[in-house]
Amino acid sequence: MGAQQREYKKRITSAQGMKKIFKAKEMVAASRIAKAHARVLATTPYAEAITRAIGAVATHSTDVEHPFLDQERSETGRAGILLITADRGMTGSYSHNAIRAAEELANHLIDEGKTPVLYVVGRKGETYYTFRNRPPVTAWTPFQESEIPALGHEIAQRLTGDLLSEDPEVHLDEAYLVGTRFLSRFRQVARATRLVPLEVVDAEAGAEAPSYPLYEFAPDAETVMDELIPRYLESRIVNLLMQSMASEHAATQRAMKTATDNAEQQIRKFTRLANSARQAEITQEISEIVGGADALSGSGRTER
């Protein structure tokens, strides 16, 4: 009985220590969500505005020729997928949902006869594909939240270079973003979005086509497009990195809240078991004392 009590007390102490860790991580994640969401709100208008600007150029300048606007281009059949996952664990299903969305997209591309090419942000995605002998072409990991603007610029340069490359082993016909959209503190959705070709990037099912004002482009539409597209790619990537980071914090908070509740349940469970073991030990000791007294009484002997 004594050994059981010691074992239960060790487990209670362990669960109490884990509860403190989980609670601390939950509070840290909760404090970071608001800041991350503010960054999302700060970058989203620019990303949407530059998307509309490119739409206006493409709509009113039908004679503009640019490889990123060509819906029919198919040189190598290679389609790039930029997957954004977490660098750390304890994020619940955050990384798993993003990887699942990337796998569904990759399978869809394979069914169309295309070759998916993976680019990964975050250690979780890199580990997932490396373990399955499908290492990504490039992995950006680890990364800090403060490094997101510079990271977005670097990724945009790499994707742009591969999209425009003349090397058939490097060239990409298409590029997709797979990350987690931050809709609210309680709802985040892993989604795949086509980045290039540009025409259908923001098309939603059943949505009406946007109307653009008339523009005059100086010096010409081609020059404007060449200037806008790199900014467009970078802004979209940075915005999705920001949304994914906010979603990661929200997922971490939920996961740590669940872990804290589970630790409390374990503490209550082992406390009851320890109390039951202690009561059983006391009952056994009393029974032994009473049994010894009865034995002495029955033999006619008395203790002096």
Side-chain angles (χ1 to χ4, degrees), residues 6 15 19 22 33 54 64 66 71 85 105 122 141 161 189 206 217 220 226 234-235 247 289:
R6 287 192 296 271
K19 177 185 173 182
F22 296 148
I33 292 175
I54 289 183
V64 173
H66 195 283
Q71 298 292 319
T85 61
L105 173 60
T141 179
V189 180
F217 305 104
D220 53 63
D226 288 338
E234 183 176 343
S235 66
S247 300
I289 293 172

Side-chain angles (χ1 to χ4, degrees), residues 6 29 36 44 49 54-55 57 66 83 107-108 113 157 179 184 191 203 206 230 233-234 244 252 261 282 284:
R6 287 192 296 271
T44 298
I54 289 183
V57 177
H66 195 283
L83 170 63
N107 291 333
H108 177 70
Q157 284 188 325
S184 71
R191 185 182 300 169
L233 295 176
E234 183 176 343
S244 295
T252 300
D261 293 342
I282 293 172
Q284 181 178 354

